[in-house]
Amino acid sequence: MQNDKTLERIKTLTELHGAPGFEEQVRAFMKKEMKPYVDEFVTNHMGGFFGVKKSKKANAKRVMIAAHMDEIGFMVTNITSNGMLQFTNLGGVANDIWQGQRLQVKNREGQNVIGVVANIPKHFRTGNEAAPEIKDLMLDIGAESDNEVRERGIEIGDTIVPYAPFTQLTEHRFSAKAWDNRYGCVIAIEILELLKDVELDVDLYVGANVQEEVGLRGAKASAELIQPDVAFVVDCSPANDIKGKQQLSGELGKGTLIRIKDGTMILQPTFRDYLLNLTERFEINHQYYISPGGTDGGEIHKANQGIPTAVIGVCARYIHSTNAIFDIRDYFAARQLLKQAIINLDDEQINILQFQNEGENL
């Protein structure tokens, strides 16, 4: 697979508008790209979808690969008489990074309208201004009245995301909005492409959930739909390396993440060892990672009787802001690990992951 094709997919997916609950553009692109490699699609009533690559083996185990389509964003809550937009956040964002930034509203016709978040110039500051909260910010789209805003197809309830074109910075590093988690969307497409001629021992369900950024809301519906025997979550995590290595908080260019603990899930030792053995066997760059946050794995691993779940991720700087910076080598390491993790799954390995060799050491 050529890097250019991957980069084209990353550009398209990161530039699409996909706030939580409004992921339809991302879903449409993913389904178009995945269609040649799957036997069918299954969907839940929240909007999550999965392409199914069926095994020729009878009664095959089910393996789920789950990304999420949504990105952090905002929702319009008020249109002022002089044409400014007030908004509330969709997902976890800091208050202090938005003034002066370009954002884009998706209007009722599906068109993007670009604006600038209001910012008081230094000339007019008194020095006594408090840092504004999100509810105090306003987006200026150049309109002169509330009527003009509505003439441009914008209403209360419409969604806003950053305006940040995909940009190559160096040979390996790029900036983009929404790498959390269009990373997962790209790898979902490309893992099916990589496995198109591979006969698997499992029925593979590959797709993406909705509304992860507002509390892992779509993951449970997908787990209940598929009822997988094993699950992999593909998600992007924050890197904390701008001052050098900071314990287990992610470094760009050091490989895929072995997420051993986060705020919603602890990686089972059998699953940890399965992944680590693959990284050693296939010489895949990897790094341990701990996060105070969580992923859809936090919901998936608790579903049914418990589903063995691991996150195969990458890290990026400045996620949940206007631009993230990531290293494409980390993406290829994650893709290689995911590929080998799927190819090497059979009933015996799944049984080990499900029951953790119960009683073996008694």
Side-chain angles (χ1 to χ4, degrees), residues 326-356:
F326 64 92
D327 192 308
I328 195 67
R329 292 171 294 188
D330 297 334
Y331 168 78
F332 289 123
R335 196 180 70 179
Q336 172 70 347
L337 178 56
L338 182 61
K339 175 185 174 183
Q340 296 302 334
I342 299 302
I343 289 175
N344 286 279
L345 272 181
D346 55 22
D347 286 355
E348 180 181 359
Q349 182 61 56
I350 291 172
N351 187 67
I352 292 171
L353 296 179
Q354 287 183 322
F355 297 102
Q356 303 190 66

Side-chain angles (χ1 to χ4, degrees), residues 45-73:
H45 296 163
M46 292 186 69
F49 82 99
F50 290 80
V52 186
K53 175 181 168 64
K54 294 182 179 178
S55 174
K56 292 182 178 179
K57 179 180 175 181
N59 302 314
K61 302 286 190 182
R62 296 183 178 189
V63 175
M64 175 186 191
I65 299 175
H68 70 85
M69 292 175 277
D70 57 313
E71 62 189 290
I72 58 96

Side-chain angles (χ1 to χ4, degrees), residues 6-16 165-167 176 186:
T6 297
L7 294 179
E8 288 173 8
R9 286 172 170 150
I10 293 173
K11 173 178 171 60
T12 298
L13 279 163
T14 57
E15 291 182 356
L16 286 175
F166 176 66
T167 303
V186 175

Side-chain angles (χ1 to χ4, degrees), residues 134-344:
I134 298 297
K135 64 181 177 61
D136 301 318
L137 298 176
M138 292 188 288
L139 185 66
D140 187 343
I141 62 168
E144 297 182 35
S145 67
D146 54 346
N147 286 335
E148 184 179 344
V149 172
R150 291 188 164 93
E151 286 171 0
R152 296 176 72 176
I154 297 170
E155 295 286 351
I156 290 172
D158 288 343
T159 54
I160 305 169
V161 298
Y163 174 72
F166 176 66
T167 303
Q168 184 162 5
L169 304 176
T170 65
E171 180 182 358
H172 301 297
R173 295 190 175 180
F174 300 81
S175 70
K177 76 170 183 66
W179 189 231
D180 175 17
N181 182 36
R182 305 298 154 70
Y183 147 72
C185 298
V186 175
I187 205 172
I189 295 166
E190 296 199 339
I191 196 66
L192 285 169
E193 192 170 28
L194 286 170
L195 297 174
K196 63 181 173 40
D197 297 322
V198 178
E199 290 297 331
L200 300 175
D201 278 352
V202 300
D203 287 342
L204 190 61
Y205 290 72
V206 184
N209 299 317
V210 298
Q211 299 188 44
E212 190 269 357
E213 297 292 1
V214 288
L216 317 184
R217 296 180 185 177
K220 183 179 179 182
S222 294
E224 291 176 346
L225 170 71
I226 296 168
Q227 299 191 23
D229 296 284
V230 171
F232 294 89
V233 171
V234 282
D235 205 346
C236 176
S237 303
N240 185 28
D241 66 342
I242 59 175
K243 294 184 179 179
K245 185 175 182 179
Q246 302 289 317
Q247 296 182 334
L248 301 181
S249 57
E251 293 182 83
L252 265 62
K254 298 298 184 182
T256 186
L257 306 182
I258 305 295
R259 179 185 279 246
I260 54 176
K261 174 184 177 294
D262 64 28
T264 63
M265 191 181 79
I266 298 170
L267 180 62
Q268 292 180 179
T270 50
F271 220 147
R272 176 202 64 207
D273 294 345
Y274 177 60
L275 297 178
L276 287 173
N277 288 338
L278 290 171
T279 64
E280 293 172 9
R281 179 178 168 191
F282 295 99
E283 299 181 340
I284 300 168
N285 286 341
H286 63 283
Q287 54 186 312
Y288 285 105
Y289 186 80
I290 290 177
S291 174
T295 73
D296 277 340
E299 286 296 317
I300 293 169
H301 86 287
K302 298 183 295 184
N304 302 334
Q305 299 180 56
I307 300 168
T309 303
V311 180
I312 295 185
V314 296
C315 62
R317 295 173 183 163
Y318 327 126
I319 68 170
H320 288 211
S321 72
T322 53
N323 286 274
I325 291 179
F326 64 92
D327 192 308
I328 195 67
R329 292 171 294 188
D330 297 334
Y331 168 78
F332 289 123
R335 196 180 70 179
Q336 172 70 347
L337 178 56
L338 182 61
K339 175 185 174 183
Q340 296 302 334
I342 299 302
I343 289 175
N344 286 279

Side-chain angles (χ1 to χ4, degrees), residues 19-85:
F22 296 81
E23 300 93 346
E24 60 274 6
Q25 291 181 359
V26 180
R27 181 168 51 246
F29 178 81
M30 289 184 70
K31 291 182 79 170
K32 176 176 69 71
E33 293 286 296
M34 292 164 65
K35 187 176 181 180
Y37 311 116
V38 299
D39 298 296
E40 62 177 336
F41 287 105
V42 296
T43 60
N44 63 48
H45 296 163
M46 292 186 69
F49 82 99
F50 290 80
V52 186
K53 175 181 168 64
K54 294 182 179 178
S55 174
K56 292 182 178 179
K57 179 180 175 181
N59 302 314
K61 302 286 190 182
R62 296 183 178 189
V63 175
M64 175 186 191
I65 299 175
H68 70 85
M69 292 175 277
D70 57 313
E71 62 189 290
I72 58 96
F74 306 93
M75 178 177 284
V76 178
T77 57
N78 186 43
I79 302 171
T80 68
S81 59
N82 65 338
M84 306 289 278
L85 306 180

